[in-house]
Amino acid sequence: GSSERYRRAALDLFAKHGFRQVSMRDLAHHIGISPGSMYHHFESKDQLLVDFLEEPFELLIANTKKLLRRRVSDLVRLRALVEFQYQMYLSMPSNFQLLNRELENLNGAWADGVHGKRQEYIDLVEIVLRPLLVAQSLGEAARLAGATVSFLESVPGGLVRSGLPLQEPSRIVFDLIRSALKCSDGNFG
């Protein structure tokens, strides 16, 4: 419906110009509706941003839970996790662009919600990584999971723009993560 079309327009505008730079008036003008009728479609600008930032994490969480139920080897599971994140990056680039740019600009309860979702994903990634970590302390596993998620969020942009076929970037990242885990017997980080 029209609300969904307006959401897309808002997402693209935020990703292109930055959340702070785009006013509700700009958004109304861009969409072609009156500023007054914006609030029929959106609760608030902040709520929109939070939705855009939480959306990828909700999908990543659901997929990782599904992955953890599959009876596959630990490495196959990690590989599938990386590939899924890539496919998501390709299908929702504006969300990830916003995530990289706006996560630290969120304040208060808004931020807590998004950071909470992100942490939930990190905790699941940790469960995927843990069997691959040789004799690691739990603290170390948590740190590696956090580093892996940051890495997965920021790296795809450049690799995707490189125009390599999907399997390539996802294999490169998988190999990097795997070698980081290998050398993690005491001398990682």
Side-chain angles (χ1 to χ4, degrees):
S2 56
S3 281
E4 199 36 58
R5 209 172 63 243
Y6 298 161
R7 279 175 57 87
R8 280 246 59 86
L11 174 60
D12 294 337
L13 217 56
F14 290 166
K16 198 160 159 192
H17 301 290
F19 175 72
R20 297 271 167 262
Q21 276 55 57
V22 178
S23 69
M24 278 301 240
R25 186 171 286 282
D26 297 331
L27 192 51
H29 179 74
H30 178 75
I31 292 170
I33 59 178
S34 76
S37 62
M38 285 295 285
Y39 295 95
H40 294 304
H41 298 282
F42 309 122
E43 202 178 309
S44 70
K45 199 177 115 174
D46 286 308
Q47 184 60 59
L48 261 180
L49 178 63
V50 167
D51 291 348
F52 295 147
L53 296 181
E54 285 186 349
E55 212 178 351
F57 289 119
E58 283 163 2
L59 292 166
L60 288 165
I61 287 165
N63 176 68
T64 309
K65 285 179 172 171
K66 211 161 30 189
L67 261 180
L68 285 165
R69 288 194 296 269
R70 279 176 52 197
R71 302 182 94 90
V72 291
S73 80
D74 301 319
L75 271 179
V76 166
R77 187 175 286 122
L78 177 61
R79 179 73 204 253
L81 180 116
V82 172
E83 274 170 11
F84 183 78
Q85 179 122 8
Y86 262 90
Q87 276 153 358
M88 277 197 49
Y89 196 95
L90 291 172
S91 64
M92 35 190 354
S94 297
N95 295 73
F96 281 93
Q97 213 176 323
L98 266 184
L99 192 62
N100 282 316
R101 188 197 271 156
E102 306 291 349
L103 196 57
E104 61 276 7
N105 295 331
L106 274 182
N107 301 314
W110 300 115
D112 295 344
V114 177
H115 284 289
K117 285 260 185 286
R118 186 170 184 270
Q119 188 57 52
E120 192 182 335
Y121 178 52
I122 290 174
D123 293 343
L124 289 166
V125 170
E126 187 187 336
I127 297 170
V128 172
L129 293 180
R130 201 176 292 141
L132 297 162
L133 298 172
V134 201
Q136 280 305 328
S137 71
L138 290 179
E140 183 68 359
R143 207 169 62 75
L144 272 170
T148 300
V149 170
S150 296
F151 184 64
L152 284 170
E153 284 164 358
S154 56
V155 167
L159 285 173
V160 166
R161 283 191 294 277
S162 72
L164 291 164
L166 175 70
Q167 313 77 277
E168 266 316 282
S170 116
R171 190 185 54 73
I172 293 166
V173 170
F174 172 69
D175 288 343
L176 283 168
I177 291 171
R178 200 174 53 177
S179 58
L181 297 177
K182 282 278 183 298
C183 72
S184 69
D185 20 61
N187 56 9
F188 179 79

